[in-house]
Amino acid sequence: MSPEITVLKSYKLQTVRNRFQPDFADSSLRSLLSSSKMLRTASRSLRAAISVRSATSKAHPFTRVPLNQVLPGFEKSEASSDTNPVLAKKRDPFDAELSTLENGLKVASQPVHGDFVTIGVAIDSGCRYEAEHKKGISHLVEKLAFASTPRRSADEIFQALDKSSAMIDCQSTRDTTIFAASCHRSGVEEILEIIADAALRPSLLDEEIKAAKETIMHENEEMRLRIETIEPLMTDWLHQAAFKHNTLGFSKFTKTEEAEGMKREDIIKFLRAHHTPARMTVSGVGVEHEELVGLSRRFFVESSEAPPSGMPSVDASRAQYTGGEVRESADLSRVGAGTPYPLLSHISLGFEGVGFKDEDFVTFCVLQSLLGGGNSFSAGGPGKGMYTRCYVDVLNHHHWMYGCQAFNHSYADAGVFAVHASAPPNGIGYALQIVLDLLLRLPEGAPKEELDRAKTQLKSQLLMNLEVRPVMFEDMARQVMGHGYRRKPWEYMQAIDNVAQADIVRVGNRLLASRPSLVGYGDIQALPTYAELDDAVARRDVKLLNPKNTKKKYFSFQ
């Protein structure tokens, strides 16, 4: 046993013994002095042991090689090139290759090191296209993903996934549905075939549809009782308020009564209209482009069927921002029951944002980074946004508020910029005042140090996210679908650096020129009316927004 461990054990034993000494002043003092002496002895022993080991041990030669140099013996890694043909080509890691096949299917690939790859297909499909379909049908399609197909049963699909160490996922957003998998490169062919069948040729058995409906109904009950689902609910209601009864305003979640009435024919109708090769982008990260093109032609071109005549046309309506409100009164006392989570009410205040093709898109992203935010239980630390305005100007000054965070939701043709906040029910009206005051001060601009910090943090988040292979896959697929090519991160970084003080002032005024979108959830009796909010925004005077509960003053100007 090393001497430092012996000293520490002796110190711990002595400390435990001192706890059982009689509670007299002299014995307590003796214990304190003894403990202090033992601690100093242990500290000296540890320092001496560390010094001896550091002097006698020999550092591995690899530790002396700078990070920008190749390790000795790895200059020519022939073995890696044999197992991964992507490594044989020296290319920019974000230099994607793009091809368009004869039926309109787009195929994009991007090089990356490693024996595992991420492949999948992104489809221009989602709840915004449900105008001519049953509302919530895209959510049901998501729940039916990777069930049985004419080639394989559900059990055979999972056996194939297990053989290739694959993880699969299907996510449906307002404008995109993604079928994707991460697997070993030896299983690319079989896994891509499974993905193609899931997107184009699902069996849709009656028992599978029934199970998917039951899953949706169960989730609808659970969503109102779980802490982590409050934000998705608030985001969904925010879009309903911002884009009332059109495109992006359709709910992402299937209502229970709507799910019960959906039939197999409704699902087939939606799939045939939207899951067509011309609306798809097959993407692969870590896959050789020629290989991906050949497999895509086999599974998405030669095996696909032409849609039958008489199918409804795809809704190409442009999203129309309307502004408005959604109020969901509810008893949230059961949310977080048995945990330290307090009883809260929630609000979201939004304004018209911009689409990702707009010239002000990057400036809005910087604005979101400037506001930042989080909740009162954030771990903090570098890069956690503790110096953003939602922390510095809101949470640090109003201890009774649980959370305050900015969000920037952007789509091809529209967007919504919002701030979510949570507070006790009797303070939710004042929370709305605080959030509105935060947004009304945006046209004043930001000091250079604050703006530089926001831009640096945004660039850091961009690059760190792109270190993850599934994020690289989704980013590439969405870029190709939205812009027609893969925009490299350096383009965005340059655009971020170009954002100036005048741009923040300009987009702040542009933001406040639209009507507000308000969401209230929980006990919202103290929440001001939408008319009062609209008037306060139009006059840009937060004093006009008086909460109904005026017994307690939170501001000096009240």
Side-chain angles (χ1 to χ4, degrees):
M1 184 179 295
S2 61
E4 62 269 25
I5 299 299
T6 303
V7 172
L8 284 177
K9 284 192 173 182
S10 176
Y11 165 67
K12 184 181 293 186
L13 179 60
Q14 181 65 33
T15 305
V16 172
R17 288 173 178 171
N18 289 337
R19 293 177 184 171
F20 295 95
Q21 295 293 333
D23 191 16
F24 298 116
D26 56 342
S27 63
S28 298
L29 180 60
R30 285 195 300 271
S31 299
L32 180 61
L33 292 174
S34 177
S35 299
S36 177
K37 183 178 180 181
M38 294 292 292
L39 183 59
R40 288 196 299 272
T41 303
S43 178
R44 285 195 296 268
S45 300
L46 281 173
R47 288 199 298 269
I50 292 172
S51 299
V52 171
R53 291 183 178 182
S54 299
T56 57
S57 62
K58 293 183 178 180
H60 197 282
F62 284 180
T63 63
R64 302 179 184 277
V65 179
L67 296 178
N68 61 346
Q69 296 181 13
V70 180
L71 293 175
F74 288 85
E75 292 84 356
K76 296 181 180 180
S77 182
E78 298 295 340
S80 297
S81 298
D82 291 339
T83 58
N84 187 350
V86 177
L87 300 181
K89 297 181 180 180
K90 291 185 177 181
R91 295 178 293 188
D92 186 317
F94 298 102
D95 189 12
E97 293 188 61
L98 178 63
S99 300
T100 302
L101 304 187
E102 51 269 27
N103 63 349
L105 178 76
K106 291 179 283 293
V107 182
S109 66
Q110 181 174 321
V112 73
H113 293 269
D115 290 331
F116 280 80
V117 303
T118 298
I119 54 176
V121 58
I123 309 171
D124 190 8
S125 172
C127 62
R128 72 167 297 168
Y129 299 109
E130 293 178 353
E132 301 295 330
H133 301 270
K134 295 284 185 70
K135 297 299 182 293
I137 192 73
S138 59
H139 188 205
L140 182 60
V141 169
E142 175 188 344
K143 297 302 178 185
L144 284 165
F146 299 108
S148 64
T149 65
R151 299 179 202 264
R152 297 176 178 87
S153 66
D155 290 339
E156 290 172 337
I157 289 175
F158 284 99
Q159 288 174 6
L161 297 174
D162 185 61
K163 183 176 64 176
S164 300
S165 302
M167 295 185 297
I168 58 171
D169 189 26
C170 177
Q171 294 184 0
S172 175
T173 62
R174 307 194 105 75
D175 61 347
T176 308
T177 300
I178 296 178
F179 295 80
S182 292
C183 67
H184 192 270
R185 63 174 43 262
S186 61
V188 167
E189 179 177 350
E190 187 172 23
I191 298 302
L192 189 62
E193 183 182 46
I194 291 174
I195 291 174
D197 289 342
L200 293 172
R201 297 172 288 274
S203 295
L204 301 177
L205 303 178
D206 291 340
E207 56 267 27
E208 295 171 345
I209 297 175
K210 181 181 179 181
K213 289 181 179 180
E214 290 175 350
T215 300
I216 289 174
M217 295 174 189
H218 175 72
E219 290 180 351
N220 287 344
E221 295 176 0
E222 290 292 315
M223 285 183 69
R224 303 297 182 102
L225 302 176
R226 295 163 58 189
I227 300 171
E228 58 270 21
T229 55
I230 290 176
E231 182 181 309
L233 280 172
M234 294 292 291
T235 301
D236 193 60
W237 290 327
L238 174 67
H239 284 78
Q240 293 181 44
F243 304 94
K244 276 197 175 299
H245 309 303
N246 78 93
T247 58
L248 297 173
F250 296 147
S251 177
K252 179 181 179 295
F253 303 109
T254 308
K255 295 181 179 179
T256 299
E257 56 272 18
E258 292 283 352
E260 291 176 345
M262 290 181 183
K263 301 178 180 179
R264 186 175 186 272
E265 292 73 20
D266 300 320
I267 303 171
I268 295 175
K269 175 184 175 183
F270 182 82
L271 292 178
R272 286 180 173 174
H274 299 87
H275 287 211
T276 58
R279 300 175 64 84
M280 294 181 174
T281 299
V282 175
S283 299
V285 175
V287 185
E288 187 65 18
H289 188 69
E290 290 77 9
E291 177 188 6
L292 188 62
V293 169
L295 295 175
S296 300
R297 180 172 281 107
R298 280 176 55 191
F299 302 140
F300 289 89
V301 178
E302 299 170 0
S303 301
S304 61
E305 300 176 359
S309 59
M311 297 303 299
S313 59
V314 175
D315 180 22
S317 302
R318 184 179 178 85
Q320 300 293 324
Y321 181 88
T322 60
E325 68 173 342
V326 172
R327 292 176 180 249
E328 291 284 337
S329 297
D331 179 12
L332 302 184
S333 59
R334 294 176 58 195
V335 175
T339 70
Y341 191 79
L343 176 61
L344 300 171
S345 296
H346 310 272
I347 60 165
S348 184
L349 176 59
F351 293 89
E352 184 176 9
V354 297
F356 56 75
K357 297 180 180 179
D358 193 280
E359 60 181 6
D360 282 332
F361 169 66
V362 173
T363 307
F364 269 83
C365 292
V366 174
L367 192 65
Q368 187 272 333
S369 181
L370 185 77
L371 296 180
N375 59 59
S376 297
F377 294 102
S378 175
K384 297 293 185 179
M386 301 299 286
Y387 286 95
T388 58
R389 288 192 179 183
C390 284
Y391 269 111
V392 175
D393 295 347
V394 178
L395 297 179
N396 288 354
H397 286 275
H398 308 285
H399 64 89
W400 47 272
M401 288 187 65
Y402 170 79
C404 182
Q405 189 168 5
F407 293 89
N408 181 35
H409 304 282
S410 293
Y411 305 91
D413 53 354
V416 57
F417 189 95
V419 175
H420 295 195
S422 304
N426 62 347
I428 197 64
Y430 297 106
L432 181 60
Q433 268 189 315
I434 293 169
V435 171
L436 179 59
D437 179 64
L438 184 74
L439 294 172
L440 290 180
R441 288 190 285 111
L442 289 178
E444 299 174 7
K448 183 180 184 304
E449 181 182 1
E450 184 183 19
L451 180 58
D452 289 344
R453 183 188 298 119
K455 293 195 290 186
T456 300
Q457 184 164 333
L458 179 60
K459 290 188 291 185
S460 174
Q461 291 174 345
L462 172 65
L463 294 179
M464 285 192 295
N465 287 337
L466 289 176
E467 292 178 358
V468 183
R469 191 173 54 248
V471 176
M472 294 171 63
F473 159 81
E474 183 175 349
D475 180 69
M476 177 175 59
R478 288 182 177 274
Q479 295 279 3
V480 172
M481 288 181 63
H483 298 289
Y485 71 101
R486 171 72 159 96
R487 295 192 67 179
K488 297 183 180 181
W490 329 124
E491 298 181 46
Y492 285 109
M493 292 180 69
Q494 182 62 47
I496 292 170
D497 287 333
N498 292 337
V499 174
Q501 174 77 253
D503 298 317
I504 298 297
V505 173
R506 176 171 49 79
V507 298
N509 285 310
R510 178 179 177 178
L511 191 73
L512 296 171
S514 60
R515 295 189 65 199
S517 298
L518 176 65
V519 176
Y521 179 43
D523 183 354
I524 51 177
Q525 299 181 37
L527 195 63
T529 65
Y530 181 81
E532 293 172 336
L533 171 64
D534 197 22
D535 185 48
V537 172
R539 298 173 183 268
R540 299 199 179 183
D541 187 358
V542 71
K543 297 179 183 179
L544 299 175
L545 196 63
N546 293 317
K548 297 178 182 179
N549 181 9
T550 57
K551 294 181 181 180
K552 185 175 181 179
K553 292 187 177 182
Y554 287 84
F555 304 102
S556 58
F557 55 72
Q558 290 179 332

